[in-house]
């Protein structure tokens, strides 16, 4: 059975607990600084994937974009070089390539001439 | 004061383990006051409480890469570490030869004078100091840190019924310890 005295004791004790909860001890600044320093010292290095490592190694996103553009242009020129450019493929491989004017095969030049 | 929700702590710990420096600062700011406050209440010594809080958090930083989300609450885990460190220190105190303990200066009159001048929080701290270690830990976790009995049971490694018994006996012992101090605490005035 709970008596009035017990009730008063509980109320008084709860008042002390309430006071303790509402006034938590102040954390020393030096402690917080030490804990944060520990955290950073123990923190694992950020893991990067291969693509991220490649992008960083080549100088970042703008550099990779430039590299990709240059690669595409080089491929295009290699497949279909403009007339003003020498036939590097033929020079390197030692093969001479010629193109026939297809219009001549149909005799268009004779008709016009 | 209640511990923050476990999901937030676990999420921050995952970010920390992934290398997020901001998460390190946030976790330290969230957990250090809880651990320091608990250790201070249990040990009654600021320097020891600082050491315990720093060591507990150091263990959290080290285990972060292996942390398995969902298996345990971060707050429960670190409270358990702090409780164990406090228990070790309290045991060590009991085994320390009396000659190695600093002599308190004129304890009887200063204790009475302190109680007369102390705020209620300080009186509670003084009363907590007379409790057996496990009772003190249980009372602090339940009534000051505001944790639920099942979580306290997990922290202290006992059953829920044992926690209920520890806190009940602890409160009775606190009441007895504070009985002579009611006038100093101002309860005589409060009660008319």
């Amino acid at each position: 059975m709970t008596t009035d005295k017990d009730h008063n004791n509980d109320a008084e004790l709860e008042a002390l607990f309430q006071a303790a909860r509402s006034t938590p001890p102040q954390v020393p600044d030096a402690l917080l600084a030490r804990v944060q320093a520990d955290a950073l010292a123990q923190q694992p290095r950020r893991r990067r994937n291969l693509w991220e490592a490649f992008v960083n190694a080549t100088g970042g996103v703008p550099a990779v974009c430039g590299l990709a553009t240059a690669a595409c242009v080089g491929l295009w020129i290699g497949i279909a070089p403009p007339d003003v450019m020498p036939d590097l493929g033929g020079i390197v491989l030692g093969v001479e390539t010629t193109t026939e004017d297809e219009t001549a095969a149909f005799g268009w030049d004779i008709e016009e001439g | 004061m209640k511990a923050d929700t476990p999901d937030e702590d676990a999420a921050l710990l995952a970010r920390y383990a992934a290398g997020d420096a901001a998460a390190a600062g946030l976790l330290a700011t969230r957990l250090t006051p809880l651990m320091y406050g608990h250790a201070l209440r249990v040990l009654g010594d600021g320097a020891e409480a600082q050491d315990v809080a720093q060591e507990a958090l150091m263990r959290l930083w080290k285990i972060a890469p292996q942390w398995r989300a969902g298996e345990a609450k971060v707050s429960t885990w670190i409270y358990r570490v702090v409780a164990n460190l406090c228990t070790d220190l309290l045991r060590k105190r009991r085994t320390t030869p009396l000659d190695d303990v600093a002599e308190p200066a004129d304890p009887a009159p200063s204790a009475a004078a302190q109680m007369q001048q102390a705020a209620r929080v300080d009186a509670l701290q003084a009363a907590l100091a007379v409790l057996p270690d496990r009772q003190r830990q249980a009372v602090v976790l339940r009534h000051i840190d505001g944790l639920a009995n099942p979580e306290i049971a997990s922290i202290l490694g006992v059953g829920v019924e044992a926690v209920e018994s520890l806190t009940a006996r602890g409160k009775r012992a606190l009441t007895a310890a504070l009985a002579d101090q009611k006038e100093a605490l101002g309860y005589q005035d409060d009660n008319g």
Side-chain angles (χ1 to χ4, degrees), chain A residues 12 16 21 34 38-39 43, chain B residues 16 20 50 54 143 187:
Chain A
E12 289 163 3
L16 288 176
R21 285 195 294 269
R34 288 201 304 274
D38 287 345
Q43 188 165 31
Chain B
Y16 169 79
D20 185 343
Q50 287 193 45
Q54 187 178 2
H143 295 288
Y187 286 120

Side-chain angles (χ1 to χ4, degrees), chain A residues 10-113:
Chain A
D10 283 347
E12 289 163 3
L13 205 50
E14 181 51 41
L16 288 176
F17 290 141
Q18 178 60 42
R21 285 195 294 269
S22 62
T23 54
Q26 183 73 32
V27 177
D29 291 340
L31 171 62
L32 198 53
R34 288 201 304 274
V35 168
Q36 289 179 334
D38 287 345
L40 293 176
Q42 295 294 326
Q43 188 165 31
R45 300 274 180 225
R46 182 189 287 272
R47 286 172 295 183
R48 293 185 298 203
N49 60 29
L50 287 175
W51 171 248
E52 192 177 351
F54 170 74
V55 169
N56 286 333
T58 51
V61 172
V64 170
C65 289
L67 191 63
T69 303
C72 290
V73 170
L75 184 64
W76 185 9
I77 291 174
I79 292 173
D83 292 341
V84 295
M85 291 189 67
D87 182 7
L88 291 176
I91 295 170
V92 171
L93 298 174
V95 177
E96 189 174 341
T97 58
T98 57
T99 55
E100 288 186 7
D101 187 354
E102 293 182 354
T103 56
F106 292 92
W108 297 111
D109 51 342
I110 298 171
E111 283 184 14
E112 287 177 356

Side-chain angles (χ1 to χ4, degrees), chain B residues 3 22 29 40-41 50 58 76 84 101 131 152 174 177 190-191:
Chain B
T29 305
L40 186 61
R41 291 285 177 211
Q50 287 193 45
M58 174 64 90
T76 303
N84 289 337
V101 178
L131 297 186
I152 298 170
L174 273 181
D190 291 350
N191 296 334

